[in-house]
Every structure is written in structure tokens, then in C-alpha cells.
Amino acid sequence: MVEKLWGGRFEASLDKQTEEFGASIKFEQRLAPFDLKGSLAHVKMLGETGIITAEEATTIADGLIKVEEKLMNGQIEFKIENEDIHMNMETYLHDEIGPLAGKLHTARSRNDQVATDMHLYLKSILSDVLKALRTLRETIVNLSVNHVDTLMPGYTHLQHAQPISFAQHLMAYYQMFTRDFERFEFNVKHTDMNPLGAAALAGTTFPIDRELTTSLLEFEKAYANSMDAVSDRDFILEFLSNSSLLMMHLSRLCEELLLWSSHEFNFVSLSDNYSTGSSIMPQKKNPDMSELIRGKSGRVYGNLMSLLTVMKGLPLTYNKDLQEDKEGMFDSADTILTSLSVMDGMLSTMTVNRVNMEKATEQDFSNATELADYLAAKGLPFREAHELVGQLVLICIKKGIYLQEVSLKDYQALSQLIEEDVYEVLKSRTAVSRRNSLGGTGFESIKKQIEQAKKELQK
């Protein structure tokens, strides 16, 4: 039987199925570099505090560096019988330096060790996510700069509502992704904490220096409570929650791209690099990447619900249930980083069909609000103006014409307040240009939004 590092109290070994069921090494392998980093900081602290001799600390550190080199060179074989990433790494250290490897675990437990690994891992992932979000936001701003004067219908209930600038639509997503960026930034605050030194749950009798390991691992601060340190998974839950909101925003944008690239809309054409064909219909160009991002939102939501469910009934402190905290975190990290990259690629390479977009604002009644506002500005109570315009729209529908095709005579029969300038008011470009209230779709308003965004991205 393979000797377990915890096996002194046991007379029998685990059966094969139970050993495989309990082992976490199958999915913990990506924690290896972080586990070694934590161990190097820990052994340096053990040496500097005199808990082990300086010579022992140097030997252990040299051994860890050799294991690290083997890991980078692909020479590490992860074994189920060693259960987890910590015992796998310690076994390789033992192969390098012998029984002295056992002193590495002085004043440390796998409980604070795994928590440290995950804090280090997620801290690195958050850095990557923030970079990817910044890149996507820059792409949206650059796209908006080129489409301030590109008109399209704005929708409510997926019905034509009012004409807007395409840049206004894009900048709405910039705002969503900026809020995502801010949430992940705040997530860093609760991830940038050092659990190392909490040991199993109660701290240790050894004279450790947690401030030293906090500094060596470049954490902002150490956990103030040892029980909280080993049982806290809020930082992962925040990450999963933030990831779910991000995927929801990406999914909404994907849904827009799917609609806009359809034959009925024909507002945009996605690059061949982000499209696929059909095995039976040769004419098809499918926006599969948008559909995949939309679909992958479900798995990220599931990862959040999974960990919330794991955590909801756990008494303090460590419980084996917490082994279930990693796979969802890894999966969500992979999913959002890939989704952000693919979305950035789709947006930066798509073709915008400006003519079709603007044409869609001229063959509808999205200028009806302009006529109601026109009458209200001339003194007619808005409710009365709304009623009159509604009646006129109904008449137009029955005649098969649009508001801009109504004669001045018929307009003045509706209201003497209407003059020839109404036709300029009814133009979609006029309608958009006049809406320069703060945050509005007016061209000047959008330029201000873009300038503000550029300043934010420079921070």
C-alpha cells in the first residue's frame, strides 16, 4: 500500500473506488505553480523565524525550485494515490531531498494551503479578466467612434420605438462591461488576502510571521481570523457572481448580433472567422460563436448555484464539501476569458450595413414621438398630442403610408399647430440629432459619452 501523509492513525487503506472518489488531483493540477509559490514563501518564513534552521530552509527551497523546473518542463506526473496537489508536490520534493521534505509542513495545514493556492490562482485570473474587459471596452469605443452618425431603430418590446445612433446602442454595452470591470476590480480586494498561517483552523503554536508571507506572496493583507481564513469562499462566490453578470451581458449582445445578422435585419455581417456553415444547406452562414457564448452563460450560472448550494449549510470550518469549490471556478474562468476574446474578435471584424440600418428608420413609425413632441412644444398638452398622433398612425396604417408621406393639408386638418417645418422634424436624422440630453442619443451627447469613456480607459 502507498503510505499516506496522514496515514499514521489508520490500519487499513482506502479501496480503489473510494480513493478515486476522494482525490482532487484530477482537477487541481492547474494549482501546481501556485502551490509551489506558497511553499517557497512558507519555507522562507520558517527559516527566517528560526522554526527550522537556515540550512534546512535553503535545502527545502532548492528542492522546491527543482520541482518547479520539472513542472515547467512537463516532467511531473500527477498521481491519484497522492490525492491532491499538495501531497503530489510534497512527494516530488521528498524525491529530491529526502525526509527533510517533511519539515515543509511545519506550522501549516492543507486547509490554509489550499486556500492560499486558490487566492493566488484567482488573483492571477482576475488580472487576466480585467485586461480582457479593458480590451473589449476599447474595441466598443473605437467602433462607436466610427458610427456616431450611423442611424438604426431603437427598440422596446423588440418593436421599432425611436431612431437612435448605432454608437448609442454600442455605448450601452460599454457601460455594462464597465460595471463588470468595476465588480471584478472589487473582487480583487477580497481575493488579495493571505490565509497562510491559519493552519487547520486555530492558528499555530509556532512563532510564525504571517506578515512576512503576506509580503512574499504579494497579498494586500492577511486574514484577521484563522477560522474565517480556511473556510471563506466568498471571494470565489463573488467571482462566480461577477462572471454570471458578465456572461449575461455578453449573451444579450450575442442575441443582438444574431438578430442583426439575420436576413430579415441585415444590419451587420459577421466575419467568416467567427461563422460556420451547414452540412446540408450550402448557402448557410451561421453565427455559431454568438450562439455558443449565449449558451455558455448557463454553465457559468450553474457554477454559481453549485457553490452557493455547497456553502449554504457548512458549519465552520473546513469540510470536505469544499473540495467542490474548484471545478466551477476553473470552468468559469476558462469560459469568460474565451468568451471575452471571441466577442472582441467578432466586434472588431464585423461589417456594419449602414444603409440598411438607416433605411429601417424610414419605413416605420418610430418618428411618431417626434410629432407628439412637436405638438407639445407648441402648447398642446402631451396627452392630447399623444392621442392625436396615435389616431393618425392608425389612419396611415390603413392607407399604407408613413407619417412623412401625409400631406400638409391633412396635417393641418388634424391640428392648425402643424406647419411645413414638421417634415424636417419627422426625419430620423433630425430626431436623433436633437436628443442631446445627458446620456441621450444625440450626436453631441454620444461624442461626450465616448470622450468620457476614453478618459476612463486611460486610468
Side-chain angles (χ1 to χ4, degrees):
M1 110 183 204
V2 175
E3 293 295 333
K4 302 293 186 184
L5 297 180
W6 45 261
R9 177 249 187 271
F10 291 81
E11 294 181 346
S13 61
L14 289 169
D15 67 49
K16 187 66 175 175
Q17 184 184 41
T18 304
E19 184 172 59
E20 291 183 359
F21 182 69
S24 57
I25 191 58
K26 298 184 293 293
F27 49 82
E28 278 186 349
Q29 296 175 22
R30 67 174 73 191
L31 291 177
F34 305 100
D35 194 73
L36 291 169
K37 183 177 181 180
S39 290
L40 281 165
H42 183 66
V43 75
K44 182 174 178 61
M45 181 275 293
L46 291 178
E48 293 200 10
T49 55
I51 296 172
I52 63 176
T53 68
E55 293 75 16
E56 290 172 327
T58 299
T59 301
I60 294 172
D62 289 344
L64 286 168
I65 291 169
K66 289 179 181 177
V67 175
E68 193 172 46
E69 289 170 353
K70 285 186 175 181
L71 178 68
M72 290 188 292
N73 293 329
Q75 297 174 309
I76 295 291
E77 180 186 355
F78 298 98
K79 298 178 181 179
I80 285 180
E81 56 264 30
N82 289 328
E83 297 183 12
D84 57 31
I85 192 63
H86 323 300
M87 293 167 73
N88 268 267
M89 293 297 96
E90 188 170 330
T91 298
Y92 273 100
L93 178 63
H94 189 277
D95 292 344
E96 292 291 338
I97 65 173
L100 179 60
K103 288 200 173 187
L104 173 62
H105 209 56
T106 307
R108 186 174 72 168
S109 163
R110 285 189 293 177
N111 295 356
D112 62 338
Q113 193 176 354
V114 71
T116 303
D117 290 0
M118 289 191 295
H119 277 269
L120 290 170
Y121 165 80
L122 193 55
K123 187 178 172 183
S124 73
I125 289 296
L126 286 169
S127 176
D128 292 341
V129 171
L130 290 170
K131 288 176 186 174
L133 268 169
R134 183 179 295 276
T135 298
L136 178 59
R137 290 159 65 219
E138 288 172 346
T139 295
I140 290 173
V141 169
N142 292 335
L143 194 57
S144 297
V145 168
N146 295 326
H147 291 286
V148 171
D149 62 350
T150 300
L151 304 189
M152 68 174 293
Y155 297 84
T156 62
H157 310 280
L158 205 54
Q159 304 295 314
H160 285 211
Q162 292 177 280
I164 61 169
S165 161
F166 182 43
Q168 172 79 344
H169 201 127
L170 292 168
M171 289 302 292
Y173 281 101
Y174 169 84
Q175 295 298 335
M176 294 183 210
F177 294 131
T178 296
R179 292 194 294 273
D180 289 324
F181 185 90
E182 291 167 351
R183 276 185 282 267
F184 282 112
E185 266 193 323
F186 189 74
N187 197 174
V188 173
K189 178 181 177 65
H190 293 150
T191 305
D192 205 9
M193 296 172 65
N194 181 21
L196 192 59
L201 77 157
T204 176
T205 58
F206 290 97
I208 61 172
D209 185 345
R210 294 192 65 208
E211 295 302 325
L212 175 58
T213 55
T214 298
S215 174
L216 291 171
L217 293 172
E218 299 180 308
F219 282 121
E220 182 182 352
K221 63 180 180 180
Y223 272 87
N225 182 287
S226 60
M227 295 178 71
D228 183 41
V230 297
S231 63
D232 172 35
R233 296 298 183 269
D234 291 358
F235 67 106
I236 302 177
L237 285 166
E238 281 183 11
F239 173 71
L240 296 176
S241 176
N242 295 342
S243 297
S244 295
L245 282 168
L246 169 60
M247 288 304 295
M248 180 267 288
H249 292 150
L250 288 170
S251 183
R252 292 182 73 181
L253 181 50
C254 283
E255 178 66 14
E256 309 254 31
L257 293 175
L258 291 166
L259 290 171
W260 295 343
S261 62
S262 69
H263 178 76
E264 288 73 17
F265 279 76
N266 196 20
F267 287 176
V268 303
S269 299
L270 297 180
S271 165
D272 289 355
N273 297 123
Y274 296 93
S275 307
T276 64
S278 164
S279 63
I280 190 172
M281 295 169 283
Q283 84 282 8
K284 293 293 293 298
K285 181 179 177 180
N286 299 325
D288 281 5
M289 300 309 109
S290 291
E291 294 171 355
L292 278 171
I293 293 174
R294 184 178 61 178
K296 287 178 183 295
S297 62
R299 68 190 297 152
V300 176
Y301 294 177
N303 291 334
L304 170 61
M305 291 309 301
S306 175
L307 186 55
L308 282 170
T309 305
V310 166
M311 295 296 297
K312 73 178 182 64
L314 294 188
L316 293 177
T317 54
Y318 186 84
N319 299 270
K320 190 67 168 177
D321 314 49
L322 290 175
Q323 187 168 293
E324 296 298 311
D325 60 2
K326 300 172 192 66
E327 288 178 278
M329 175 180 66
F330 296 150
D331 179 67
S332 292
D334 293 342
T335 300
I336 66 172
L337 285 169
T338 304
S339 297
L340 284 167
S341 178
V342 171
M343 177 59 77
D344 184 67
M346 285 195 295
L347 291 181
S348 59
T349 59
M350 75 178 181
T351 301
V352 178
N353 302 326
R354 297 171 185 254
V355 174
N356 287 350
M357 278 188 169
E358 184 160 359
K359 188 177 180 181
T361 69
E362 296 168 351
Q363 297 179 344
D364 63 5
F365 292 96
S366 63
N367 52 1
T369 303
E370 305 312 307
L371 181 55
D373 285 349
Y374 173 88
L375 290 168
K378 294 205 171 191
L380 190 68
F382 183 80
R383 289 302 177 197
E384 291 182 32
H386 186 285
E387 179 71 18
L388 281 176
V389 175
Q391 292 171 2
L392 181 58
V393 167
L394 181 58
I395 292 169
C396 288
I397 291 172
K398 289 180 178 180
K399 289 184 176 181
I401 62 174
Y402 297 106
L403 291 176
Q404 55 267 39
E405 297 172 303
V406 176
S407 68
L408 183 59
K409 179 182 176 181
D410 287 343
Y411 267 128
Q412 291 181 334
L414 178 73
S415 172
Q416 288 298 311
L417 295 172
I418 299 177
E419 300 175 25
E420 194 166 354
D421 62 347
V422 73
Y423 295 105
E424 181 64 28
V425 170
L426 290 172
K427 291 179 180 178
S428 54
R429 189 162 293 276
T430 302
V432 174
S433 66
R434 294 172 62 209
R435 282 179 156 71
N436 285 308
S437 57
L438 180 63
T441 193
F443 302 133
E444 294 307 312
S445 171
I446 293 170
K447 289 175 183 176
K448 290 178 182 177
Q449 292 179 47
I450 290 171
E451 287 307 308
Q452 178 60 34
K454 287 180 177 179
K455 290 178 183 177
E456 292 169 358
L457 290 167
Q458 288 173 356
K459 293 178 181 177

